[in-house]
């Protein structure tokens, strides 16, 4: 089946550090990629949607200057958390799909802990 | 605004039981609906995708049904096993906003006891 690889799986770093998370679709072309944030025992909150070669569309309340998203190719999207602070600590999950009629596939998530 | 609710929030059953997980949504103008499972600390695994024109989809011991008019979907798990223990999420793709993105339910945490 379709595989989405997300890296790294866990990051622990000091406050003020910028952190980049990569999301790759390994065996299909991801026209659209999504970035989610998940708090403990809660469902997924969509942060932004990106189409290859276009600027990301951010959900209301998500700071675009804080969470930089790049979708430079049909197989790679990156999320950079700039100048991370403890309140940015969370579980971040990426997702990708080909066409809108196809299933959406998810990465294994990145646990981000800011000290 | 689309809202997706899953009942029950948690479920504990003995191994071998057949069980039904429920998902309801408030806006029937959906494009498709997808069921996922999430293991602790992991991402989501796609289980079944039902297009708006379909009534059900089956994969192995799983069967998902869709009744758009009543705003409901069910996930049926036959002969449950301890390995089925996970959180199950339904996600509805609405079309009213003009964007094709999923709205996730609150999830059902399933525990199958050996």
């Amino acid at each position: 089946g379709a595989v989405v690889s997300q890296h790294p799986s866990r990051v622990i770093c000091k406050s003020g550090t910028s952190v980049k998370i990569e999301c790759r679709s390994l065996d299909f072309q991801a026209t659209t990629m999504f970035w989610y944030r998940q708090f403990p025992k809660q469902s997924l909150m969509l942060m932004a949607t990106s189409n290859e070669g276009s600027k990301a569309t951010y959900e209301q309340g998500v700071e675009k200057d804080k969470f930089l998203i790049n979708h430079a190719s049909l197989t790679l999207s990156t999320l950079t958390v700039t100048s991370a602070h403890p309140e940015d600590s969370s579980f971040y999950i990426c997702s990708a799909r080909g066409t809108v009629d196809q299933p959406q596939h998810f990465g294994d998530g990145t646990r981000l802990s800011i000290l | 605004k689309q809202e997706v609710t899953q009942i029950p929030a948690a479920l504990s059953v003995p191994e071998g039981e057949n069980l039904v997980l429920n998902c309801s949504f408030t806006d029937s103008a959906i494009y498709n609906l997808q069921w996922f499972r999430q293991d602790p600390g992991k991402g989501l695994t796609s289980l079944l995708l039902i297009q708006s024109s379909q009534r059900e989809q089956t994969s192995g011991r799983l069967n998902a049904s869709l009744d758009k008019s009543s705003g409901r979907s069910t996930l049926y798990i036959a002969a449950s096993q301890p390995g089925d223990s996970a959180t199950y999420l339904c996600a509805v793709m609405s079309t009213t906003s003009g964007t094709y993105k999923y709205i996730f339910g609150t999830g059902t945490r399933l525990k199958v006891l050996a």
Side-chain angles (χ1 to χ4, degrees):
Chain A
V3 176
V4 173
S5 174
Q6 187 173 341
H7 180 79
S9 58
R10 185 172 181 97
V11 179
I12 302 173
C13 57
K14 294 181 180 179
S15 185
T17 306
S18 290
V19 178
K20 180 185 280 189
I21 303 170
E22 285 191 354
C23 181
R24 294 180 184 271
S25 58
L26 298 185
D27 53 359
F28 68 102
Q29 293 189 323
T31 306
T32 308
M33 284 186 163
F34 306 86
W35 287 95
Y36 295 86
R37 185 171 178 176
Q38 187 176 34
F39 293 100
K41 297 193 176 180
Q42 293 189 25
S43 194
L44 278 70
M45 180 190 81
L46 180 64
M47 298 174 66
T49 302
S50 72
N51 292 298
E52 184 261 341
S54 303
K55 287 185 178 179
T57 302
Y58 290 80
E59 295 298 303
Q60 193 172 8
V62 178
E63 300 175 59
K64 63 177 71 174
D65 294 330
K66 175 74 169 176
F67 300 100
L68 301 178
I69 292 171
N70 183 273
H71 190 170
S73 75
L74 283 170
T75 59
L76 174 65
S77 176
T78 60
L79 167 68
T80 300
V81 184
T82 61
S83 187
H85 292 288
E87 59 267 28
D88 299 322
S89 298
S90 192
F91 191 56
Y92 293 87
I93 310 176
C94 75
S95 178
R97 72 170 183 227
T99 68
V100 70
D101 294 319
Q102 293 172 318
Q104 195 166 316
H105 299 282
F106 286 76
D108 275 343
T110 297
R111 173 80 52 199
L112 177 62
S113 299
I114 307 298
L115 306 176
Chain B
K1 179 187 171 186
Q2 179 73 275
E3 292 183 5
V4 183
T5 306
Q6 290 184 245
I7 295 173
L11 183 62
S12 186
V13 300
E15 181 177 9
E17 273 205 8
N18 301 324
L19 52 101
V20 175
L21 308 182
N22 297 292
C23 173
S24 60
F25 45 95
T26 55
D27 185 350
S28 62
I30 69 170
Y31 192 83
N32 64 38
L33 182 148
Q34 196 166 352
W35 281 93
F36 299 89
R37 70 173 278 169
Q38 184 176 29
D39 294 288
K42 296 289 188 180
L44 278 63
T45 300
S46 175
L47 297 175
L48 291 165
L49 170 67
I50 310 178
Q51 303 293 347
S52 63
S53 59
Q54 297 174 325
R55 297 282 296 185
E56 67 177 343
Q57 283 286 337
T58 298
S59 175
R61 293 183 294 109
L62 305 178
N63 175 277
S65 67
L66 174 63
D67 184 343
K68 267 198 336 177
S69 59
S70 66
R72 293 174 191 272
S73 176
T74 61
L75 178 67
Y76 175 82
I77 303 177
S80 58
Q81 303 171 357
D84 295 330
S85 298
T87 295
Y88 289 80
L89 294 160
C90 74
V92 172
M93 187 176 289
S94 283
T95 59
T96 50
S97 64
T99 61
Y100 294 87
K101 58 186 180 184
Y102 278 125
I103 307 297
F104 279 86
T106 46
T108 294
R109 289 192 305 280
L110 172 66
K111 189 168 186 178
V112 180
L113 306 170

